[in-house]
Amino acid sequence: MNRTVLLSAAAAAALLTACGSDPAPEQYGANPNLPEQERGLVPSMKIADPAPWGDQRPVVPQGYTITAIATGLGIPRQTLVLANGDILVAEGRGGGAPPLRPKDLIAGVIKAKGTTSVKSGNRLTLLRDANGDGVYEGRTVFAENLNAPYGLALVNGQLYVANQDALVRFAYADGQTRASGPPVKVTDLPSQINHHWTKSLAASPDGRFLYVGIGSNSNITERGMAAEVDRAMIWQIDAATGAHRPFATGIRNPTALAIQPGTGRLWAVVNERDELGPNLVPDYLTSVRDGGFYGWPFSYWGQHVDTRAQPQDAAKVASAIRPDYSLGPHVAALGVAFSSPVMGARFADGVFVGEHGSWNRSKPSGYKVVFVPFRGGRPAGQPIDFVTGFRGSDGKTRGRPVGVTVDPRGALIVADDLSNTIWRIAPPRQAPVAEAPSRAGAPVPEGDHPSATPY
Amino acid sequence: MATQAERRPHRPIHPLQAFLTAGALPLFVGGLLSDLAYSSNYQIQWINFAAWLIAGAMVFTGFALLGALIGLVRARPRRGWPLLSFLLLLVVFVLGLINSFVHARDAFGTMPQGLILSVIVTVLAIAIVWIGFSSLRVGATK
């Protein structure tokens, strides 16, 4: 399954890496094998050792092609395909929580080695492929001076952008290449400390509600429970008034949201807690239940108690929902998008998940885009590698996937925040389908894919 | 050891070594008290205090250990207080380092090991100061 040979990178972290074995049981699906909690003195770490792509490219399934449609961006995170085929890219780096303990100083220096050092873009870049040949010759800055924009959604002529501190909107007309003015604030979002700063976003198909994923302010309450007010939850925001209510809670870091075509149900990929060993806790993909509590901080994967969170709350533990589908521990899922038949028969029904990759296990996990097949609207079967090769056989890391978006014209768009690239993966040309040269003739996927909002 | 000191009075503790050894003690004590506070009331700031206090104590302990090593190398014969202080400081340094790593865990993951280690290193730090500063008295009454 793993075509990438994962060799050890000679990072400074090597000194700190415990020699513990990561047997890596296959922990995918509805019933992952959850081992005992491990608490070594120093957590196993393997920090990405960045290298340029050069002539290399990510590896895609046979017959599929991958091209870099934009490079040199200011840390691209999430993308949005607009109705006319234009692609919006949210660029930026947020966070900056102050170090609280001696550990934070040390960990901050080590972890920074595995990420890009370019300046935060704090903008939206628009990419245009006017003639539909897969080459994005047009590139403009759609909006700038935003505050670490991340989640994007377009509904009812409004382009919503989830900055790290507020949900804002721009009026958007088809074909626009630049925002007509500064954004209008819909509502403030919790932003104190902002340990997990990314604000993921999805819009209900009717445009009445917006869903914003707000990550916890800590790994496991080490900044105190007071810092966790309005954190680790998904807000449902009334688009008209900006009023919000918690839609789901205890959901540690919901880094990407998507509305399932057809059912209109909200799904999320969620990053779970660290420092319980290399094989705990699995990051997950789940449908999100209204009013549901997903365990954080008191327990994980249902009723597996985490005693690090004190005082415990037995009633909360009892009410914790088991997520739908384990993606495996520490893969750091940061993107999710529902597929459609334009992606080819094998990848027609399911979701693509962008996995940024681990830093805290000695055998890296993630660093790829996987496809989780669905049957009857539910995940069914093992994840299939869709894009790999972000970690080379030489142990170098050339890219780290974040947001994934399905272009209804027949492509997967992947944002890579290490090489600051947007990748486009296109399925083999289906001979009978005449390729329409004009944008208006773009093939429409089955089902009512809300107008270019896979989020 | 005290008997040995009485039998053959040795040089009193060097002022710099006294400063380093005694400097670590209140920080270890503070770390222990903070651990006690956190383990009883779960207020997170106490465990942050403990982590910094122990880190500070480790800086003093590290230099004191270096000083004790130099003292041991220069001592003739290499036993008595120079050897004892070096060994005790070495144990405090190793346990203190482990304690620092335990205090790098998140929230209540520090407990109960953090509290246990803090008790041990604090008791040992008191012992080092007690024995080391006894030499001052021996020297003065020579």
Side-chain angles (χ1 to χ4, degrees):
Chain A
M1 152 156 292
N2 249 331
R3 294 175 55 183
T4 323
V5 182
L6 301 164
L7 287 180
S8 50
L15 276 173
L16 290 167
T17 302
C19 307
S21 57
D22 299 349
E26 297 293 289
Q27 293 175 291
Y28 304 116
N31 294 300
N33 167 25
L34 300 182
E36 291 293 304
Q37 297 178 9
E38 288 176 37
R39 284 193 210 144
L41 269 190
V42 183
S44 301
M45 286 201 265
K46 180 74 72 190
I47 304 298
D49 183 12
W53 280 101
D55 293 333
Q56 302 195 45
R57 286 291 171 268
V59 179
V60 293
Q62 182 126 39
Y64 285 66
T65 52
I66 181 162
T67 48
I69 59 171
T71 56
L73 293 161
I75 322 183
R77 307 285 190 175
Q78 299 288 343
T79 55
L80 176 69
V81 179
L82 302 168
N84 67 349
D86 289 353
I87 297 171
L88 271 180
V89 184
E91 302 162 76
R93 179 199 289 117
L100 205 53
R101 294 167 296 166
K103 165 200 195 172
D104 300 332
L105 291 176
I106 299 162
V109 171
I110 293 172
K111 282 201 262 181
K113 289 178 189 298
T115 60
T116 185
S117 55
V118 309
K119 202 165 153 279
S120 169
N122 287 332
R123 65 182 179 201
L124 304 183
T125 292
L126 183 135
L127 308 174
R128 173 168 289 179
D129 167 19
N131 59 4
D133 62 355
V135 177
Y136 284 72
E137 67 285 340
R139 177 162 161 182
T140 55
V141 174
F142 185 87
E144 53 202 332
N145 301 321
L146 299 168
N147 186 0
Y150 189 81
L152 300 170
L154 177 68
V155 66
N156 295 348
Q158 298 292 323
L159 172 68
Y160 292 91
V161 180
N163 287 332
Q164 67 166 335
D165 63 344
L167 178 65
V168 299
R169 69 179 151 82
F170 297 91
Y172 171 80
D174 227 17
Q176 209 173 331
T177 57
R178 180 152 184 91
S180 43
V184 176
K185 182 158 70 175
V186 179
T187 183
D188 285 319
L189 297 173
S191 61
Q192 279 200 11
I193 303 175
N194 253 4
H195 177 107
H196 290 126
W197 62 270
T198 60
K199 299 298 193 288
S200 52
L201 178 63
S204 67
D206 62 6
R208 274 188 67 200
F209 295 113
L210 295 152
Y211 299 93
V212 174
I214 302 155
S216 64
N217 240 341
S218 62
N219 174 33
I220 182 72
T221 71
E222 72 275 10
R223 291 178 191 273
M225 285 306 282
E228 303 300 341
V229 173
D230 280 333
R231 307 297 302 216
M233 58 176 65
I234 296 172
W235 274 9
Q236 185 189 57
I237 297 170
D238 188 314
T241 66
H244 71 264
R245 71 175 179 97
F247 184 78
T249 57
I251 192 157
R252 181 174 173 275
N253 191 13
T255 48
L257 306 175
I259 300 288
Q260 189 172 25
T263 66
R265 186 176 293 144
L266 181 69
W267 287 71
V269 289
V270 180
N271 290 353
E272 259 292 355
R273 64 204 74 194
D274 296 324
E275 295 190 25
L276 290 179
N279 300 315
L280 281 179
V281 171
D283 295 340
Y284 58 85
L285 165 75
T286 194
S287 58
V288 183
R289 285 192 228 165
D290 191 350
F293 172 74
Y294 287 82
W296 194 87
F298 307 111
S299 66
Y300 56 87
W301 209 267
Q303 280 67 43
H304 293 81
V305 171
D306 189 338
T307 56
R308 294 175 299 173
Q310 296 287 351
Q312 273 282 319
D313 188 331
K316 282 287 209 186
V317 171
S319 71
I321 298 170
R322 282 169 63 109
D324 292 337
Y325 188 93
S326 162
L327 295 164
H330 308 304
V331 298
L334 295 184
V336 66
F338 279 92
S339 189
S340 80
V342 297
M343 292 308 298
R346 195 174 168 215
F347 302 104
D349 187 9
V351 295
F352 292 101
V353 177
E355 297 178 349
H356 201 233
S358 63
W359 56 272
N360 51 4
R361 70 203 302 276
S362 59
K363 188 184 173 208
S365 60
Y367 293 98
K368 58 188 175 182
V369 177
V370 300
F371 176 77
V372 177
F374 273 44
R375 206 178 311 116
R378 310 286 305 168
Q382 293 283 299
I384 301 163
D385 285 356
F386 188 70
V387 191
T388 58
F390 291 96
R391 269 185 84 91
S393 51
D394 56 359
K396 300 280 186 186
T397 300
R398 295 186 167 74
R400 301 185 78 176
V402 188
V404 293
T405 307
V406 174
D407 180 347
R409 292 197 288 188
L412 183 72
I413 308 299
V414 177
D416 170 349
D417 72 359
L418 182 63
S419 68
N420 295 301
T421 303
I422 302 296
W423 301 99
R424 180 178 187 270
I425 299 99
R429 296 254 164 113
Q430 296 110 324
V433 179
E435 185 148 352
S438 81
R439 284 183 249 137
V444 176
E446 75 170 20
D448 61 333
H449 212 272
S451 64
T453 43
Y455 284 85
Chain B
M1 286 307 121
T3 52
Q4 196 172 23
E6 281 158 23
R7 198 176 63 229
R8 201 170 55 79
H10 57 77
R11 284 161 51 103
I13 186 167
H14 189 282
L16 181 61
Q17 189 68 2
F19 164 71
L20 293 170
T21 313
L25 180 57
L27 297 172
F28 277 131
V29 171
L32 171 60
L33 293 174
S34 300
D35 277 345
L36 281 167
Y38 175 64
S39 60
S40 59
N41 65 19
Y42 307 130
Q43 289 298 315
I44 205 78
Q45 192 70 309
W46 288 116
I47 202 69
N48 296 333
F49 288 153
W52 284 109
L53 288 165
I54 293 163
M58 287 303 290
V59 172
F60 280 92
T61 306
F63 283 111
L65 180 64
L66 188 67
L69 178 66
I70 293 167
L72 180 64
V73 168
R74 293 171 62 185
R76 292 290 180 277
R78 290 201 185 107
R79 53 189 166 84
W81 166 246
L83 180 63
L84 180 68
S85 69
F86 173 76
L87 291 178
L88 280 174
L89 279 166
L90 185 64
V91 172
V92 169
F93 186 81
V94 170
L95 291 180
L97 193 64
I98 294 170
N99 200 21
S100 295
F101 282 125
V102 169
H103 278 79
R105 291 178 187 163
D106 289 334
F108 214 73
T110 49
M111 294 292 147
Q113 295 97 322
L115 179 59
I116 294 166
L117 284 165
S118 287
V119 169
I120 295 171
V121 293
T122 303
V123 168
L124 288 175
I126 291 170
I128 293 169
V129 172
W130 189 280
I131 300 168
F133 281 51
S134 299
S135 70
L136 282 178
R137 201 177 51 214
V138 171
T141 55
K142 185 160 63 168

